Short mmCIF file of all heavy atoms in Angstrom, two decimals:
data_model
loop_
_atom_site.label_atom_id
_atom_site.label_comp_id
_atom_site.label_asym_id
_atom_site.label_seq_id
_atom_site.Cartn_x
_atom_site.Cartn_y
_atom_site.Cartn_z
N ALA P 36 -26.33 26.50 -21.80
CA ALA P 36 -25.17 25.76 -22.37
C ALA P 36 -24.00 25.74 -21.40
O ALA P 36 -23.32 24.73 -21.24
CB ALA P 36 -24.76 26.39 -23.69
N GLY P 37 -23.75 26.89 -20.75
CA GLY P 37 -22.63 27.00 -19.79
C GLY P 37 -22.89 26.06 -18.61
O GLY P 37 -21.92 25.37 -18.14
N GLU P 38 -24.10 25.98 -18.08
CA GLU P 38 -24.40 25.10 -16.95
C GLU P 38 -24.23 23.63 -17.37
O GLU P 38 -23.70 22.80 -16.58
CB GLU P 38 -25.83 25.32 -16.45
CG GLU P 38 -25.98 26.68 -15.73
CD GLU P 38 -27.44 26.99 -15.44
OE1 GLU P 38 -28.35 26.15 -15.82
OE2 GLU P 38 -27.71 28.04 -14.86
N LEU P 39 -24.66 23.29 -18.55
CA LEU P 39 -24.54 21.92 -19.07
C LEU P 39 -23.05 21.55 -19.24
O LEU P 39 -22.63 20.45 -18.87
CB LEU P 39 -25.25 21.81 -20.38
CG LEU P 39 -25.26 20.40 -21.02
CD1 LEU P 39 -25.86 19.36 -20.11
CD2 LEU P 39 -25.99 20.41 -22.39
N TYR P 40 -22.24 22.52 -19.74
CA TYR P 40 -20.82 22.25 -19.89
C TYR P 40 -20.14 21.93 -18.55
O TYR P 40 -19.31 21.08 -18.47
CB TYR P 40 -20.11 23.44 -20.59
CG TYR P 40 -18.65 23.20 -20.82
CD1 TYR P 40 -18.20 22.36 -21.89
CD2 TYR P 40 -17.69 23.72 -19.94
CE1 TYR P 40 -16.87 22.15 -22.09
CE2 TYR P 40 -16.33 23.49 -20.09
CZ TYR P 40 -15.92 22.69 -21.20
OH TYR P 40 -14.60 22.49 -21.37
N GLU P 41 -20.53 22.68 -17.50
CA GLU P 41 -19.97 22.48 -16.19
C GLU P 41 -20.33 21.07 -15.69
O GLU P 41 -19.50 20.38 -15.06
CB GLU P 41 -20.49 23.53 -15.20
CG GLU P 41 -19.91 24.95 -15.45
CD GLU P 41 -18.39 24.98 -15.39
OE1 GLU P 41 -17.81 24.31 -14.51
OE2 GLU P 41 -17.81 25.64 -16.29
N LEU P 42 -21.56 20.65 -15.97
CA LEU P 42 -21.94 19.29 -15.53
C LEU P 42 -21.16 18.23 -16.28
O LEU P 42 -20.70 17.26 -15.65
CB LEU P 42 -23.43 19.07 -15.81
CG LEU P 42 -24.44 19.83 -14.89
CD1 LEU P 42 -25.85 19.66 -15.40
CD2 LEU P 42 -24.32 19.31 -13.46
N VAL P 43 -20.97 18.40 -17.55
CA VAL P 43 -20.17 17.45 -18.36
C VAL P 43 -18.77 17.40 -17.83
O VAL P 43 -18.18 16.30 -17.67
CB VAL P 43 -20.20 17.84 -19.84
CG1 VAL P 43 -19.19 17.01 -20.64
CG2 VAL P 43 -21.59 17.73 -20.42
N LEU P 44 -18.21 18.56 -17.53
CA LEU P 44 -16.80 18.65 -17.05
C LEU P 44 -16.67 17.90 -15.67
O LEU P 44 -15.72 17.17 -15.44
CB LEU P 44 -16.39 20.13 -16.88
CG LEU P 44 -14.91 20.38 -16.76
CD1 LEU P 44 -14.17 19.94 -17.98
CD2 LEU P 44 -14.68 21.85 -16.48
N ARG P 45 -17.69 18.11 -14.81
CA ARG P 45 -17.63 17.45 -13.51
C ARG P 45 -17.67 15.93 -13.67
O ARG P 45 -16.99 15.19 -13.02
CB ARG P 45 -18.79 17.97 -12.68
CG ARG P 45 -18.53 17.84 -11.20
CD ARG P 45 -19.69 18.44 -10.37
NE ARG P 45 -20.01 19.78 -10.79
CZ ARG P 45 -21.18 20.40 -10.56
NH1 ARG P 45 -22.11 19.75 -9.89
NH2 ARG P 45 -21.41 21.62 -10.98
N PHE P 46 -18.58 15.46 -14.53
CA PHE P 46 -18.70 14.03 -14.75
C PHE P 46 -17.43 13.45 -15.36
O PHE P 46 -17.05 12.30 -15.07
CB PHE P 46 -19.88 13.76 -15.72
CG PHE P 46 -20.01 12.33 -16.12
CD1 PHE P 46 -20.47 11.35 -15.19
CD2 PHE P 46 -19.66 11.89 -17.37
CE1 PHE P 46 -20.57 10.03 -15.55
CE2 PHE P 46 -19.71 10.58 -17.74
CZ PHE P 46 -20.21 9.61 -16.84
N ALA P 47 -16.76 14.26 -16.19
CA ALA P 47 -15.52 13.78 -16.85
C ALA P 47 -14.42 13.45 -15.86
O ALA P 47 -13.45 12.74 -16.19
CB ALA P 47 -15.05 14.79 -17.86
N GLY P 48 -14.54 13.98 -14.61
CA GLY P 48 -13.57 13.65 -13.57
C GLY P 48 -13.50 12.15 -13.34
O GLY P 48 -12.47 11.60 -13.00
N TYR P 49 -14.64 11.44 -13.49
CA TYR P 49 -14.61 9.98 -13.36
C TYR P 49 -15.81 9.47 -14.13
O TYR P 49 -16.82 9.05 -13.60
CB TYR P 49 -14.67 9.49 -11.92
CG TYR P 49 -14.35 8.03 -11.84
CD1 TYR P 49 -13.10 7.53 -12.09
CD2 TYR P 49 -15.36 7.11 -11.52
CE1 TYR P 49 -12.83 6.17 -12.03
CE2 TYR P 49 -15.11 5.73 -11.46
CZ TYR P 49 -13.84 5.30 -11.72
OH TYR P 49 -13.56 3.95 -11.66
N GLY P 50 -15.69 9.45 -15.44
CA GLY P 50 -16.79 8.98 -16.28
C GLY P 50 -16.34 7.77 -17.12
O GLY P 50 -15.24 7.75 -17.61
N PHE P 51 -17.22 6.82 -17.22
CA PHE P 51 -16.91 5.63 -18.02
C PHE P 51 -17.43 5.83 -19.47
O PHE P 51 -18.61 6.20 -19.65
CB PHE P 51 -17.61 4.41 -17.48
CG PHE P 51 -16.90 3.75 -16.36
CD1 PHE P 51 -15.90 4.43 -15.63
CD2 PHE P 51 -17.15 2.43 -16.04
CE1 PHE P 51 -15.22 3.79 -14.63
CE2 PHE P 51 -16.51 1.80 -15.01
CZ PHE P 51 -15.52 2.48 -14.31
N ASN P 52 -16.56 5.56 -20.43
CA ASN P 52 -17.12 5.53 -21.80
C ASN P 52 -17.79 4.16 -22.00
O ASN P 52 -17.67 3.26 -21.16
CB ASN P 52 -16.07 5.81 -22.86
CG ASN P 52 -14.96 4.80 -22.79
OD1 ASN P 52 -15.13 3.67 -22.50
ND2 ASN P 52 -13.72 5.26 -23.12
N ARG P 53 -18.46 3.99 -23.06
CA ARG P 53 -19.28 2.76 -23.22
C ARG P 53 -18.45 1.53 -23.25
O ARG P 53 -18.75 0.51 -22.65
CB ARG P 53 -20.16 2.85 -24.49
CG ARG P 53 -21.19 1.77 -24.55
CD ARG P 53 -22.09 1.97 -25.75
NE ARG P 53 -22.84 3.23 -25.68
CZ ARG P 53 -23.60 3.68 -26.65
NH1 ARG P 53 -23.73 3.03 -27.80
NH2 ARG P 53 -24.24 4.83 -26.51
N SER P 54 -17.26 1.57 -23.95
CA SER P 54 -16.45 0.35 -24.07
C SER P 54 -15.87 -0.04 -22.71
O SER P 54 -15.79 -1.22 -22.36
CB SER P 54 -15.29 0.64 -25.06
OG SER P 54 -14.41 1.61 -24.55
N HIS P 55 -15.56 0.98 -21.87
CA HIS P 55 -15.07 0.72 -20.57
C HIS P 55 -16.15 0.06 -19.68
O HIS P 55 -15.92 -0.90 -18.97
CB HIS P 55 -14.67 2.05 -19.93
CG HIS P 55 -13.59 1.93 -18.87
ND1 HIS P 55 -12.23 1.90 -19.15
CD2 HIS P 55 -13.70 1.87 -17.52
CE1 HIS P 55 -11.55 1.83 -18.04
NE2 HIS P 55 -12.39 1.78 -17.03
N ALA P 56 -17.34 0.60 -19.78
CA ALA P 56 -18.49 0.06 -19.00
C ALA P 56 -18.79 -1.37 -19.39
O ALA P 56 -19.06 -2.18 -18.56
CB ALA P 56 -19.68 0.98 -19.20
N VAL P 57 -18.73 -1.65 -20.68
CA VAL P 57 -19.00 -3.02 -21.15
C VAL P 57 -17.99 -3.99 -20.62
O VAL P 57 -18.35 -5.07 -20.12
CB VAL P 57 -19.02 -3.07 -22.71
CG1 VAL P 57 -19.04 -4.49 -23.20
CG2 VAL P 57 -20.25 -2.35 -23.22
N ALA P 58 -16.70 -3.59 -20.62
CA ALA P 58 -15.63 -4.46 -20.13
C ALA P 58 -15.84 -4.76 -18.62
O ALA P 58 -15.73 -5.86 -18.17
CB ALA P 58 -14.29 -3.82 -20.34
#
Side-chain angles (χ1 to χ4, degrees):
E38 289 172 359
L39 181 58
Y40 180 79
E41 290 302 319
L42 288 172
V43 171
L44 195 62
R45 205 176 308 159
F46 174 74
Y49 190 70
F51 276 20
N52 60 35
R53 192 175 298 174
S54 64
H55 206 85
V57 168

